[in-house]
Amino acid sequence: MLPGSPMPPRSCLHRATSPTTSAELDALRRRVWREQGVVSLAIDDVTDPWLRQALINEATRRWGARGGRHGA
C-alpha cells in the first residue's frame, strides 16, 4: 500500500485471524461428518487407488472437472 493511499474497503466478512491449522481443519471435518453426514477428504490422502478414482469420478460427475495439477 502506498503512503497516503486510502485504506482498502472493510467488510463484516473479513476475519483478522490466522489460517486454519491442520488440527482445526480435521476437527471441522469430524464435526460436519457427525452432525450432517458430510464427508470432506483430501483426495491425496486416499491411499487405495480404486477408491481414490471412484471418489474422483463421482465428484467430477457431480461438480465438474478440477483445474490445476489434478486436471481431468
Side-chain angles (χ1 to χ4, degrees):
M1 197 158 87
L2 297 173
S5 63
M7 295 291 292
R10 294 178 56 170
S11 166
C12 62
L13 300 177
H14 175 74
R15 291 178 43 186
T17 60
S18 61
T20 307
T21 66
S22 295
E24 290 169 330
L25 188 55
D26 193 48
L28 290 170
R29 287 176 171 152
R30 182 182 307 108
R31 180 177 170 196
V32 76
W33 165 246
R34 291 178 177 172
E35 293 180 7
Q36 298 177 15
V38 174
V39 177
S40 174
L41 301 169
I43 201 67
D44 292 337
D45 291 345
V46 179
T47 57
D48 180 85
W50 185 91
L51 180 57
R52 182 184 317 112
Q53 191 60 54
L55 292 169
I56 289 170
N57 292 348
E58 181 61 15
T60 301
R61 182 185 71 79
R62 289 175 178 242
W63 303 300
R66 294 179 65 192
R69 67 184 177 97
H70 296 283

